[in-house]
Amino acid sequence: MDEALPRSLTPGVLAILVRRGADFAAAEDAVQEALLQALRAWPADPPRDAKGWLVTAAWHRFLDASRADAARRRREDLVDEEPAPGPAPAVDDTLQLYFLCAHPSLTPASAVALTLRAVGGLTTRQIAAAYLVPEATMAQRISRAKRTVAGVRFERPGDVATVLRVLYLVFNEGYSGDVDLAAEAIRLTRQLAAVVDHPEVAGLLALMLLHHARRGARTASDGSLVPLAEQDRGRWDTALIAEGIGILQEALARDRLGEFQAQAAVAALHADAPTAGETDWVQIVEWYDELARLTGSPVVRLNRAVAVGEADGPRAGLAALAELDASLPRHTAVAAYLHERDGDLTTAARLYAEAALKASDLAERDHLTRCAARLNSRPRP
């Protein structure tokens, strides 16, 4: 399909959204999102009514964005921008809602998706990206969950494991996405730790604090990403690091290892290294082995390939990477990094450019594009 076709319909679609009540700037954003979706979907499945398709898609994008923005504003009225160390205040209704949405009549995956959408304020697209599934699949999952709990009495709260999974995904979206939810996730996890004596609750809190401690150093003044190895460690929050490590040590001492404790151990090894060159990559690989055993997650194995590349050399990392599905998100970016470490700069530049095209996050896309440009602009032999 001609790419110019959906763009030629932009003015009419934009006018319809504005008439329906969308402000102009939000309508423009929604139409652009719909255009991108059309350019991906139409070549394989062209609609009978192109304009109607675009209006529907853009309106859904606008509603998702409006709901997320409204939820974010409500949270900002309740919490400070940054979480402070120390004990949490009394439990509020938000944490109770998390437990109620994790209803026993739902599967854990459906309960997590429903909670993220109904309470966490995430869009269907953000939840789908977290689960590595198509947006349409996640929309169906959330709809089924809503139908399942329709008319059900919510006197039976869900289990701690499901709530932990929700809080973890909310924090991840807040830490790396376009909706700031990290502080809220930490606040709620502090509350949970205050009322539930469980090593995995402590492990999740430690993981959040250790990651959040590095947040100020993750981006440059122009908003560009700063890789971990290049971050100014003087900007890391040492109070949050000390608190996180202390909580983790107490949890590990109970000898009931779970995935959040293992992830926190990896984060602690990064936080404890005075410089990037002094990072204990051998121990990090061992913790990733534990994580892979606990979760079987392909994302864990992808991160392990990077750690192997640091501990045993880039070719060992590439060998570990070759065992994984190449369609895995960030697989191409990891391959580019390992090829650069191995000295194959031509292949690395090509892979960085490919990874940039696949990146869903704007800051990550810009970072990968700059990596490709840096290698392409090097002096030729």
Side-chain angles (χ1 to χ4, degrees):
M1 168 156 312
D2 183 0
E3 290 190 0
L5 176 56
R7 292 190 181 279
S8 69
L9 299 172
T10 298
V13 175
L14 186 58
I16 291 173
L17 263 64
V18 171
R19 286 199 300 272
R20 288 186 177 183
D23 65 84
F24 191 81
E28 276 191 320
D29 290 342
V31 172
Q32 290 302 316
E33 291 282 351
L35 287 171
L36 291 174
Q37 184 180 354
L39 291 174
R40 289 191 296 265
W42 287 12
D45 185 21
R48 288 192 297 270
D49 179 5
K51 185 175 181 179
W53 190 101
L54 282 173
V55 169
T56 300
W59 184 247
H60 287 166
R61 298 292 189 189
F62 168 73
L63 291 178
D64 282 345
S66 298
R67 292 185 187 116
D69 185 62
R72 176 184 60 79
R73 291 179 185 277
R74 287 195 299 271
R75 285 189 298 273
E76 288 176 348
D77 290 338
L78 296 174
V79 298
D80 293 329
E81 184 177 354
E82 295 295 332
V91 177
D92 64 17
D93 290 342
T94 307
L95 189 58
Q96 183 181 8
L97 286 174
Y98 273 70
F99 274 97
L100 291 177
C101 282
H103 197 271
S105 64
L106 297 172
T107 65
S110 295
V112 170
L114 178 62
T115 312
L116 290 172
R117 189 72 183 90
V119 186
L122 273 65
T123 66
T124 303
R125 179 178 49 180
Q126 290 168 326
I127 302 169
Y131 272 94
L132 309 180
V133 300
E135 183 176 352
T137 300
M138 183 53 65
Q140 292 173 356
R141 184 179 300 177
I142 294 172
S143 295
R144 285 196 299 269
K146 290 178 178 178
R147 288 195 298 270
T148 299
V149 298
V152 172
R153 292 181 60 84
F154 280 85
E155 75 279 2
R156 293 186 300 155
D159 65 351
V160 172
T162 301
V163 173
L164 287 178
R165 177 62 51 190
V166 175
L167 290 169
Y168 174 66
L169 291 173
V170 168
F171 177 81
N172 278 347
E173 187 60 41
Y175 188 62
S176 62
D178 55 0
V179 179
D180 187 359
L181 300 170
E184 173 71 347
I186 291 175
R187 184 183 74 88
L188 292 174
T189 307
R190 284 192 188 280
Q191 290 185 354
L192 187 60
V195 297
V196 176
D197 182 23
H198 192 288
E200 272 294 82
V201 177
L204 178 58
L205 179 56
L207 175 63
M208 290 179 174
L209 294 175
L210 289 165
H211 277 306
H212 205 74
R214 302 199 303 262
R215 187 173 189 178
R218 290 185 71 244
T219 54
S221 57
D222 61 358
S224 60
L225 286 181
V226 180
L228 177 60
E230 300 172 18
Q231 289 177 15
D232 177 1
R233 297 181 180 226
R235 297 181 62 193
W236 291 0
D237 189 326
T238 54
L240 286 183
I241 290 173
E243 184 186 7
I245 290 177
I247 292 171
L248 173 63
Q249 288 173 337
E250 291 181 8
L252 291 175
R254 300 175 68 174
D255 199 24
R256 292 168 57 193
L257 183 64
E259 64 173 293
F260 295 125
Q261 295 169 73
Q263 287 190 60
V266 171
L269 287 167
H270 283 298
D272 201 40
T275 66
E278 296 174 84
T279 304
D280 190 344
W281 287 105
V282 172
Q283 222 185 134
I284 287 176
V285 171
E286 292 173 354
W287 277 112
Y288 274 128
D289 287 337
E290 289 287 347
L291 262 175
R293 179 183 62 80
L294 288 167
T295 67
S297 167
V299 175
V300 168
R301 296 180 64 197
L302 183 69
N303 292 331
R304 179 185 178 278
V306 176
V308 169
E310 299 289 351
D312 300 327
R315 295 196 178 183
L318 286 167
L321 186 65
E323 299 175 2
L324 304 179
D325 186 346
S327 66
L328 194 64
R330 295 190 171 89
H331 185 285
T332 307
V334 170
Y337 173 74
L338 291 172
H339 276 290
E340 181 181 2
R341 288 279 319 281
D342 195 38
D344 187 353
L345 304 187
T346 300
T347 300
R350 175 177 56 80
L351 290 173
Y352 276 131
E354 290 181 11
L357 293 174
K358 298 176 182 178
S360 57
D361 178 75
L362 181 59
E364 181 182 2
R365 186 184 314 145
D366 289 345
H367 171 71
L368 294 168
T369 300
R370 282 193 293 271
C371 288
R374 170 174 52 81
L375 295 182
N376 284 326
S377 64
R378 71 191 186 280
R380 301 295 179 179

